[in-house]
Amino acid sequence: MIFRFLRILLPVTILMALLLVYPLFAWTNPEQTKAIIASGIISFVNIFLGMLSIEFSMDKSTQVFMNSVFGGMVLRMFLVLGVMFALILLGFDKLSLALSLMGFYVVYVIMEITYVVKELDKRNAESKRKSTNPVYKAIKKMDFPIE
């Protein structure tokens, strides 16, 4: 499933980069450009780590899923906070870094939520299809390993 998410993530990232090329170099100074690019990288890594967390817990129990997703979210937020703090200490433009990070974060989170909801719907539909299939029920009663 991670490869399916990457097939969505990479084109969106490339599209955002292409849309930002001209404004970045025409309307910003080099310090702002550097900060915006850094925030894009931070957001990309953040969303990728989030998807790894979701992938790990998708087929687990609800408790494991919630702990993994929300615990991972807290850890990722502290990681982003630490990296932001380090970049500010290194002299990156604070306003450009913060605002562009929020923009990238919103785009990536919308994409992540949409993907997870569609994937959960797909899995629920498949499990419902299996549970209503009479052949599947008969085989399951016989205790054959079918999966």
Side-chain angles (χ1 to χ4, degrees), residues 1-2 10 15 19 65 73 82 98 139 143:
M1 185 162 87
I2 192 70
L10 292 177
L15 179 65
L19 289 174
F65 180 77
M73 188 183 304
I139 292 172
D143 292 327

Side-chain angles (χ1 to χ4, degrees), residues 49-108:
L49 292 175
M51 278 312 299
L52 288 178
S53 169
I54 290 170
E55 283 299 314
F56 164 75
S57 61
M58 186 71 81
D59 293 324
K60 307 276 192 298
S61 70
T62 304
Q63 183 69 32
V64 171
F65 180 77
M66 294 302 223
N67 287 342
S68 177
V69 170
F70 291 120
M73 188 183 304
V74 170
L75 288 174
R76 289 184 297 138
M77 286 298 130
F78 279 114
L79 180 68
V80 168
L81 181 65
V83 171
M84 289 276 292
F85 184 70
L87 291 177
I88 289 171
L89 288 178
L90 290 173
F92 280 71
D93 185 57
K94 296 174 193 172
L95 186 61
S96 299
L97 191 64
L99 291 178
S100 59
L101 184 66
M102 284 191 305
F104 285 122
Y105 183 77
V106 166
V107 170
Y108 283 141

Side-chain angles (χ1 to χ4, degrees), residues 117-130:
V117 167
K118 285 182 181 179
E119 191 63 33
L120 286 175
D121 284 347
K122 188 186 313 177
R123 288 178 185 217
N124 287 339
E126 179 159 328
S127 69
K128 186 176 181 180
R129 181 185 55 80
K130 282 182 178 179

